[in-house]
């Protein structure tokens, strides 16, 4: 079932476009030494954006002050905007019955996009 939903997500939910956007952003961020940690998070989100069904997000137990600080910088410059975009798309998809599974995936993506440091994607 997850495979079918992921294929529908890639075709109709914009998964391929989201993945390519995160990959491009990650490549650009990795051009500088300061941007490498943020680029790695973009690559992590690209994998989730491509095939989100069947994947879970968990907080790392040993994420410390460094993750918190990087999350603050990320949230100020990118996270809040990506989060709001995913929430708006998720709410609009939830208005239709057939869009509810995609709405939940957009909300999952939004939660990771707001604060990606200290999170692991399993699945």
């Amino acid at each position: 079932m997850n495979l079918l939903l992921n294929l529908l997500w890639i075709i109709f939910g914009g998964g391929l476009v989201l993945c390519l956007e995160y990959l491009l952003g990650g490549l650009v961020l990795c051009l500088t030494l300061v941007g490498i940690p943020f680029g790695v998070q973009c690559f992590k989100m690209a994998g989730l954006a491509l095939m989100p069904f069947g994947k879970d997000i968990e907080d790392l137990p040993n994420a410390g002050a460094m993750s918190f600080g990087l999350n603050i910088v990320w949230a100020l410059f990118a996270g809040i905007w990506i989060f709001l975009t995913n929430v708006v798309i998720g709410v609009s998809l939830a208005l239709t019955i057939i869009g509810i599974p995609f709405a939940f995936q957009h909300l999952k993506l939004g939660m990771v996009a707001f604060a990606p440091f200290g999170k692991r994607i399993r699945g």
Side-chain angles (χ1 to χ4, degrees):
M1 188 65 166
N2 286 336
L3 178 62
L4 176 63
L5 288 170
N6 279 324
L7 289 174
L8 290 172
W9 172 264
I10 290 170
I11 296 168
F12 298 115
L16 183 62
V17 174
L18 283 171
C19 177
L20 292 174
E21 288 174 347
Y22 280 125
L23 287 175
L24 179 64
L27 287 173
V28 170
L29 284 167
C30 284
L31 292 176
T32 65
L33 289 174
V34 176
I36 290 174
F38 301 102
V40 171
Q41 298 308 310
C42 282
F43 295 142
K44 176 170 58 173
M45 289 186 292
L48 182 63
L50 184 62
M51 300 181 94
F53 288 95
K55 294 187 180 175
D56 293 322
I57 300 156
E58 65 180 30
D59 291 325
L60 295 174
N62 57 354
M66 181 68 99
S67 291
F68 179 74
L70 290 171
N71 276 330
I72 295 293
V73 172
W74 175 269
L76 289 175
F77 289 103
I80 189 74
W81 308 113
I82 300 170
F83 171 77
L84 290 174
T85 302
N86 280 307
V87 167
V88 168
I89 293 170
V91 168
S92 66
L93 283 169
L95 296 175
T96 66
I97 292 176
I98 199 165
I100 290 174
F102 288 168
F104 283 126
Q105 300 313 311
H106 271 289
L107 295 178
K108 183 193 314 185
L109 284 167
M111 295 307 293
V112 173
F114 185 70
F117 290 93
K119 294 197 180 352
R120 181 183 337 179
I121 299 170
R122 298 187 57 122

